[in-house]
Amino acid sequence: MRKLQAPRGTLDVLPKDARRRLELVATAGEVLGRAGYEPMETPVFEDTEVFARGVGESTDIVQKEMFTFEDKAGRSLTLRPEATAGICRAYIENGMHKLAQPVKVWCAGPFFRHEAPQAGRFRQFTQIDAEAIGSDDPSLDAELILLLDEIFERAGTGPRRLRLSSLGTRETRADYIEELKNFLRAREGELSEEVSARIDQNPLRAFDADHPGTQAVMKDAPLLLDRLAADDAEHFAAVRALLDAAGLEHQIDPTLVRGLDYYTRTVFEFESERLGAQAALGGGGRYDGLIEELSGPPTPGVGFAAGIERILLAAGEQEAAPQARVFVAIAKPEAAQDAFGLAQRLRGAGMRVELEQAGRSMKGQLKQADRIGASATVILGDTIEVKDMDSGEQREATDANQVLELVREVAGS
Ligand code: AMP
C-alpha cells in the first residue's frame, strides 16, 4: 500500500514544539489582554466572497493562493488565507458596531495559502492576529506595533527591523498608481521584462526588482508618501511620534508593499535577520475602507498578523523550564489499581504525575522515571516507598497523605 504523508507544505507539530506554540499564544494573550484585547474566533472557512472583496480580486492571495472548494449545495467556500476579512465580516454580522468602540480582539489559529513551500513558508501556517476596529485614532496603530514588538521580545526572536509607511486613502493610492504606471510606461525599454509585462497589474512590484536597469529607473520614481493628503500625513506623523516617544526604532520605507488590497494609511512589517528569504515575522496596518467593502457601515480599523512558525524559527531552540515530575511505579500487579488512584490524587494536588502504563519490569520502570526526569518515584508493592531520584534515598509511607507530604519534600513542590 502507498505510504501516507502529510500534504505538501503542511507541518506535523510534535509535542516539544506544540508546547512552545501554546506558550507563545498564552504570552500573546497576556500581552494583548493587558491592553484590552479580548479573544475571538471566526470559522476556518468563509464564503469565498469575504476574501475576494476583502483582500482584493487583483492580489496574488486571491488570484493564486486560495484553497477554494464547493460545498454540496454548490456554494464557493475558501479556507481563510488571513484573519482580518473574516473578523470584519463577523463584526458586521454580529452588530459589533453597537459595542463601545474600538472593539479590540485577537485570535490565533491556522491559515492557508497555496504557496511554493520553502523554509518558513507553508501552505498551512499559524498566525497570531490582533485587530482594533471602530476608531481611526493613531494611538491604536502605535499601540498594536508596540504590542507586537513586545510579543517578539518575550518570545526571544532577537533583533528585528521595523519598516513603516503610509498608503494614504484609496483615492490617493489610485491616483498615485496611475502616476506610477505612466512613469514606468515612459521608461519601459529600461525595465526588466517581468516588470514591464506587469505594469498594469502590479506596478508597485517594480520597487522590489533585482534587475539593475529597473533599480536605476526606480531611483527617480514618484513615491506615494510624497503624495499623501494633509490629514493622512498628519495621521502618519502622529503614529511616528508615538513610536519615537516609546523608543521603538523604525525605518520609513516608502516602497513597503503588502500583499493585501485593503490597507489604507499605516502599514508596517517586522523582519528578523535570523530568518532566510522569508524574513517577515509579522506585519499589518490600517484598513479604514474594509468594513464598507464588506457591506458594513463606514468603520475604520487597524491590525497585525504574525506567523507563529517564523517567530519560533527566529527564537531558535530554547531550554524548557524544568518542571518537577513524579513517577508512580507498580511493583506487583495487584497494586495497579491503587497506583492509578494515587496518580489521580497527586495530579489533583497540582503535580505532574506519570504512571507505569506499559507493563515494564521494575528496572525498566525506574529507567522510565529517569527518562521523564522524575524527581520522585512512588513505588507501590507490599509497601509504599517514595524514592528521591537525585540521592537514591527511599522512605516508606503509610497512606496517601504521607505520600503527598514526602513527594512534596523530595520534588520541592
Ligand atoms: P501577511 O498577512 O502575508 O503579512 O502575513 C503575516 C505573517 O504571517 C507573516 O509576516 C509571516 O510571519 C506569516 N506568514 C504569512 N504567510 C506564511 C506562510 N505561507 N508560511 C508561514 N508563515 C506565513
Side-chain angles (χ1 to χ4, degrees), residues 16-17 20 152 155-158 272 274-275 281 308-320:
K16 184 164 72 72
D17 286 333
R20 288 183 68 201
F152 293 146
T157 62
S272 162
R274 293 185 185 168
L275 298 174
L281 283 169
I308 288 186
E309 291 81 6
R310 302 240 182 117
I311 295 173
L312 294 182
L313 213 60
E317 290 294 322
Q318 286 174 348
E319 281 294 312

Side-chain angles (χ1 to χ4, degrees), residues 91-101 103 133-134 291 297 299:
Y91 175 95
I92 300 166
E93 191 170 338
N94 294 285
M96 291 171 87
H97 61 278
K98 291 186 215 121
L99 303 175
Q101 306 292 304
V103 171
I133 306 176
I291 296 211
T299 311

Side-chain angles (χ1 to χ4, degrees), residues 113 115 120-122 125 127 258 260 280-283 305-307 310:
R113 291 183 196 171
E115 298 192 88
R121 193 205 265 168
F122 307 96
F125 54 98
Q127 282 184 345
R258 304 223 358 110
L260 304 99
L281 283 169
R310 302 240 182 117

